[in-house]
Amino acid sequence: MRRRIRGRSAERSRTGSVASAVAPATVEVTPRWLRVGDGYAATLVVTGYPAEVGPAWLEPLLSWPGRLDLALHIAPLPAPVAASRLRTQRARLESSRRADAERGKLADPYVDAAAHDAGDLAERLARGAAKLFRVGLYLTVHARTEDELLQACAQVRAAAASTLLAVQPATWRQLAGWTTTLPLATDGLRMLRTMDTAALAAAFPLSSPDLPAPLPGDPPTTGGVLYGINPASAGIVWWDRWTQENHNSIVLARSGAGKSYFVKLEILRNLYQGVQVAVVDPEDEYLRLADAVGGSIVRLGMPGVKINPLDLPLDDRRPDTLTRRGLFLHTLISVLLGHQPPPAERAALDRAILAVYRAAGITADPATHHRPAPLLRDLAATLRADDDPAAATLAARLAPWVQGSFADLFDAPTTQAPVGHLVVWSLRHLPDELRTVGTLLALDAIWRTVDTPQRPSRRRLVVVDEAWLLMRDGEGARFLFRMSKAARKRNAGLTVITQDAADLLGTDLGQAVVSNAATQVLLRQAPQAIDAVGEAFGLTDGERRLLLSARRGQGLLISGVNRTSFESISSDTEHTLCTTDPTELAHVDEEEDDL
């Protein structure tokens, strides 16, 4: 029997409603399928469920490559009704077990398991640890012809069977089944099954079966950002770095693989959640993003932009603040010289640091820390005034940074305070000889905002792009390692981005930075580096082939034993802010000029 429902164009034009405007002209109804417009559709009802379900148990259906509308109708079951039905169910199971025992029959293992599960659910329900819901799961399959529809339904049945789901066609109720899977919030079939909170939560579609699920008893997670989609299954990869054992991440890829694009997407999505972000940007790739979100930019190397490395944090009242500043100055001088000074020069430097602060009226007393800090040239002058020949030698070696070619960055007090929800430290205008020093000064200024005496309530994300600039320097690498170790206790996370796998993995400090990153992201790799990367991250042959042939933005997310492939996705607005393609940027600039 067939029934044809025709739309009325006159009525559509008269009412003008959205529903009438988008509705198909005709719907032909048969017992087993519908003809909707120029296509065919059939609705399947899930009638059988497995005894236990794992995370993302709907993934085989959600990732089916054809057109499939999946509707999950959920209705909470009132607690008194749930308790009453559960008592009835337990009584029925117990009476069945007792009857078998009285007849001398062996216990039915399925009945025993059901009775045990019902008792466990009743206990959790009484404690308020779980609730019951009436759930209906319906699938509408679409195809262009009737033959294709039959094949598609068979494929969907096979996908459902892979997760032990039993499905049946909505025979003689296809019209009600089709409307049930439309976004109308109406269940016309009412083929319901009772589920508890855990089983229903595992059906949440924004999850991936390749990533770990929360264990029973773990607190609920509400954070995380979209990393992309899984190319193999089309599932969504949603990751929360702030719930891992530490908040650090490492992003390793060859040039042009999309690592900066991916990190900018993560920054933008963390900003949505109130995370404070600081970026060390060697190539001005983050300026468009900073301008769009109202961030601040510190352009090191531009005329008039000065950084005084002897500044003391004004809001830090700890008694060892001056000592810690002195230790950083030892690190800075080692980076300026390219190596650690010999013992005699280090001793002279330590005396000079204390003397120059004392001459400025600054002591260990925090009340004196608001006074103007001395400059690097004052430190060099104090070294020259020392009678020790080692001090004079060190002062002479510091001359290019005090009164020579590299003095412009340090020859005046700090001119710009790095404040805001997004601070970008631009290094592009620094000469190559000052890039490492500029990176270290930016990280030091960032660390002073992170290392506050009070435990910060706001999360902070520190991004170091092109980290090989620091990793090739021993003192700079040690500074980065110390930050990666201490960030978690200060509610901060460090993201290290580099395209030079040899500099990162070829040293003990570089490997220590990798091991202290709970989130590891590998994008496309160069053939020359794949062996070192594969050994360091324990990659399989298939994962190595994936990273050698990955498209831009495709890669591998690794966290301990858990790993999944993903591909970055973005909205048009996000893409405009994150892309570095010169052609696309020129087109965007032309549109902005027209406006």
Side-chain angles (χ1 to χ4, degrees):
M1 183 181 72
R2 298 189 179 188
R3 182 159 53 101
R4 184 179 295 271
I5 303 173
R6 296 184 180 275
R8 298 181 179 178
S9 57
E11 182 178 351
R12 284 202 299 269
S13 61
R14 185 169 58 251
T15 59
S17 66
V18 175
S20 60
V22 301
T26 60
V27 176
E28 182 180 349
V29 183
T30 72
R32 293 185 174 272
W33 49 262
L34 300 176
R35 185 173 182 180
V36 183
D38 57 353
Y40 291 78
T43 299
L44 305 175
V45 181
V46 177
T47 57
Y49 296 81
E52 294 183 358
V53 293
W57 57 275
L58 288 180
E59 184 66 23
L61 296 175
L62 294 173
S63 60
W64 185 68
R67 182 185 171 189
L68 175 68
D69 295 335
L70 186 148
L72 192 65
H73 290 264
I74 304 169
L77 200 60
V81 176
S84 175
R85 293 185 180 181
L86 203 53
R87 281 194 300 269
T88 303
Q89 176 76 355
R90 294 182 66 191
R92 185 180 62 82
L93 293 172
E94 290 296 335
S95 63
S96 177
R97 295 170 65 184
R98 195 178 305 113
D100 288 344
E102 291 174 353
R103 297 190 188 105
K105 293 183 178 181
L106 292 176
D108 187 340
Y110 294 101
V111 174
D112 289 344
H116 179 271
D117 292 342
D120 177 66
L121 180 58
E123 182 182 354
R124 289 189 288 120
L125 197 64
R127 294 199 314 265
K131 293 183 178 180
L132 294 184
F133 300 85
R134 298 287 286 167
V135 179
L137 182 57
Y138 312 103
L139 315 168
T140 295
V141 187
H142 296 266
R144 291 175 298 177
T145 65
E146 186 176 350
D147 291 338
E148 290 181 3
L149 181 65
L150 294 176
Q151 296 177 4
C153 289
Q155 294 173 5
V156 171
R157 285 195 188 96
S162 67
T163 55
L164 302 181
L165 293 173
V167 298
Q168 297 295 333
T171 307
W172 297 102
R173 303 181 68 187
Q174 288 295 328
L175 182 59
W178 175 56
T179 57
T180 296
T181 56
L182 293 177
L184 304 175
T186 301
D187 185 355
L189 295 177
R190 302 295 296 172
M191 302 288 290
L192 304 176
R193 172 71 176 263
T194 302
M195 291 188 186
D196 65 348
T197 309
L200 188 57
F204 186 63
L206 294 183
S207 60
S208 171
D210 306 313
L211 297 178
L215 297 174
D218 286 354
T221 56
T222 57
V225 298
L226 175 65
Y227 268 34
I229 59 172
N230 189 329
S233 64
I236 292 177
V237 179
W238 190 275
W239 187 249
D240 189 357
R241 65 187 294 164
W242 303 101
T243 60
Q244 308 309 310
E245 59 186 15
N246 63 62
H247 312 323
N248 302 331
S249 69
I250 175 78
V251 181
L252 186 60
R254 67 182 300 177
S255 177
K259 56 185 182 299
S260 296
Y261 186 95
F262 163 75
V263 172
K264 280 182 275 191
L265 284 176
E266 186 183 20
I267 288 174
L268 191 58
R269 291 163 184 172
N270 272 282
L271 287 172
Y272 296 154
Q273 301 181 8
V275 178
Q276 192 171 9
V277 183
V279 182
V280 180
D281 180 12
E283 296 297 335
D284 282 0
E285 295 187 69
Y286 298 80
L287 303 189
R288 182 183 294 272
L289 177 62
D291 289 336
V293 302
S296 59
I297 303 171
V298 182
R299 291 180 169 87
L300 298 182
M302 291 290 285
V305 179
K306 311 291 182 180
I307 295 291
N308 182 13
L310 282 76
D311 281 340
L312 294 172
L314 299 180
D315 56 348
D316 192 344
R317 310 295 293 177
R318 288 174 289 187
D320 63 339
T321 300
L322 186 60
T323 302
R324 286 184 286 107
R325 181 79 329 214
L327 294 175
F328 169 74
L329 290 173
H330 277 275
T331 300
L332 176 66
I333 297 303
S334 298
V335 173
L336 291 178
L337 300 179
H339 60 86
Q340 192 177 75
E345 294 184 12
R346 290 205 304 272
L349 176 61
D350 199 60
R351 291 195 304 270
I353 290 173
L354 297 176
V356 74
Y357 276 115
R358 191 164 49 246
I362 299 174
T363 65
D365 183 4
T368 64
H369 294 176
H370 68 282
R371 295 173 181 171
L375 302 176
L376 191 61
R377 64 167 175 257
D378 300 323
L379 180 62
T382 304
L383 285 170
R384 287 193 296 269
D386 196 319
D387 296 333
D388 189 346
T393 302
L394 182 58
R397 297 172 66 189
L398 288 176
W401 311 95
V402 175
Q403 55 193 14
S405 304
F406 306 140
D408 288 345
L409 187 61
F410 313 103
D411 60 359
T414 301
T415 57
Q416 185 174 353
V419 294
H421 56 282
L422 173 61
V423 179
V424 175
W425 293 79
S426 169
L427 309 181
R428 184 169 185 175
H429 302 283
L430 286 174
D432 291 342
E433 294 79 4
L434 282 175
R435 286 290 184 95
T436 303
V437 177
T439 304
L440 184 63
L441 290 175
L443 283 176
D444 171 64
I446 294 169
W447 182 249
R448 280 186 281 173
T449 64
V450 172
D451 185 28
T452 55
Q454 299 81 20
R455 181 175 178 81
S457 58
R458 189 174 186 181
R459 291 170 174 169
R460 291 180 171 90
L461 180 60
V462 181
V463 178
V464 184
D465 206 343
E466 303 299 348
W468 59 270
L469 291 171
L470 271 184
M471 297 307 301
R472 66 185 180 183
D473 180 85
E475 289 300 323
R478 275 188 281 274
F479 186 88
L480 201 62
F481 170 67
R482 289 194 296 270
M483 179 179 286
S484 68
K485 292 279 286 185
R488 180 185 64 84
K489 297 179 180 178
R490 291 158 177 82
N491 204 20
L494 174 67
T495 295
V496 176
I497 314 167
T498 185
Q499 64 184 21
D500 198 329
D503 280 347
L504 187 66
L505 304 175
T507 64
D508 293 339
L509 286 174
Q511 292 183 1
V513 171
V514 172
S515 64
N516 278 282
T519 301
Q520 301 165 350
V521 177
L522 305 179
L523 303 178
R524 181 165 184 165
Q525 301 295 317
Q528 298 82 358
I530 192 62
D531 289 337
V533 173
E535 183 178 354
F537 294 93
L539 301 180
T540 64
D541 291 341
E543 290 170 340
R544 296 186 187 208
R545 290 193 296 270
L546 168 67
L547 295 180
L548 286 174
S549 60
R551 301 192 303 269
R552 179 178 297 181
Q554 273 191 353
L556 197 63
L557 169 63
I558 301 174
S559 182
V561 298
N562 305 293
R563 53 187 65 203
T564 182
S565 59
F566 76 95
E567 181 175 2
S568 299
I569 57 174
S570 61
S571 66
D572 292 341
T573 302
E574 289 175 326
H575 179 76
T576 302
L577 297 178
C578 299
T579 184
T580 54
D581 187 285
T583 304
E584 293 181 351
L585 292 178
H587 181 66
V588 171
D589 291 338
E590 289 177 359
E591 291 182 348
E592 292 177 351
D593 292 340
D594 292 341
L595 294 176

